[in-house]
Amino acid sequence: MSKEIMRQRDTMNKKYIVRLTEQEREQLDALIRKGKTAASKIKHAHILLKADADGAGWSDEEIAAAFSVHPRTVAGIRERFVEHGLEAALNRTKQARPSRPPSFDGKAEARLIALRCSEPPPGHARWTLRLLAEKVVELEVVASTSHETVRRTLKKMR
């Protein structure tokens, strides 16, 4: 069987078929040529160009082998392009919600900052991160925290 017939049959079995416009192709080529963006974005651009039914028309397996990704990654990029457009296909998807809620909400952050601006405990010249962490737990501002979380929270506020 010729390669063209194999590609036609492969395209018929796919639910999400990538068809790039000339403008999209030029945009992807420019992104690849420039090379000043995230590596994952460049890789996704390569994958879209190879998956284009009107262009190269490679199969998911060929693309996966060429770019060292799983065929499901190719299928996911293909689906995001068809469903949500070029930008969604190029960029990684953000989590709908964080894996865990933040330790300090707005009220707790305000209390931490107020504590930081107050006088340090007797016997100490200044507040240390560990002292602050112990004190916010002692005052029941948060159930538990680490000095690193306190550091990140204070850094964010500056």
Side-chain angles (χ1 to χ4, degrees):
M1 226 182 281
S2 76
K3 206 170 194 177
E4 186 59 36
I5 294 171
M6 291 288 286
R7 283 197 177 133
Q8 284 177 350
R9 189 175 348 143
D10 191 38
T11 304
M12 288 171 41
N13 293 335
K14 289 182 182 156
K15 183 175 179 182
Y16 300 102
I17 299 169
V18 174
R19 295 198 189 282
L20 296 170
T21 64
E22 192 59 40
Q23 181 184 2
E24 289 169 334
R25 249 185 243 109
E26 288 171 9
Q27 186 179 349
L28 292 172
D29 280 332
L31 190 134
I32 292 166
R33 255 185 281 112
K34 199 170 191 181
K36 292 284 184 181
T37 188
S40 61
K41 200 170 187 177
I42 293 172
K43 188 178 277 193
H44 288 196
H46 276 295
I47 289 170
L48 284 171
L49 285 171
K50 296 301 181 191
D52 184 15
D54 298 333
W58 288 15
S59 71
D60 286 2
E61 289 75 22
E62 290 174 318
I63 297 169
F67 297 108
S68 301
V69 296
H70 197 278
R72 275 181 271 178
T73 303
V74 177
I77 293 169
R78 183 189 300 277
E79 179 180 348
R80 281 203 311 271
F81 174 77
V82 172
E83 294 288 327
H84 304 289
L86 184 61
E87 281 306 309
L90 289 177
N91 298 313
R92 294 180 180 206
T93 52
K94 299 273 187 239
Q95 275 187 306
R97 56 185 174 79
S99 301
R100 57 188 304 174
S103 301
F104 287 91
D105 60 0
K107 193 174 177 182
E109 283 180 6
R111 299 247 341 245
L112 174 65
I113 293 167
L115 184 63
R116 169 67 180 89
C117 294
S118 68
E119 286 293 314
H124 295 278
R126 69 181 72 84
W127 282 104
T128 65
L129 295 175
R130 292 178 197 278
L131 278 173
L132 285 168
E134 290 169 10
K135 194 67 170 179
V136 293
V137 172
E138 181 184 314
L139 294 173
E140 296 180 355
V141 175
V142 292
S144 68
T145 191
S146 70
H147 67 281
E148 183 60 21
T149 304
V150 169
R151 182 194 66 80
R152 263 181 286 156
T153 304
L154 291 173
K155 182 179 180 182
K156 185 176 76 172
M157 294 290 109
R158 289 193 177 155

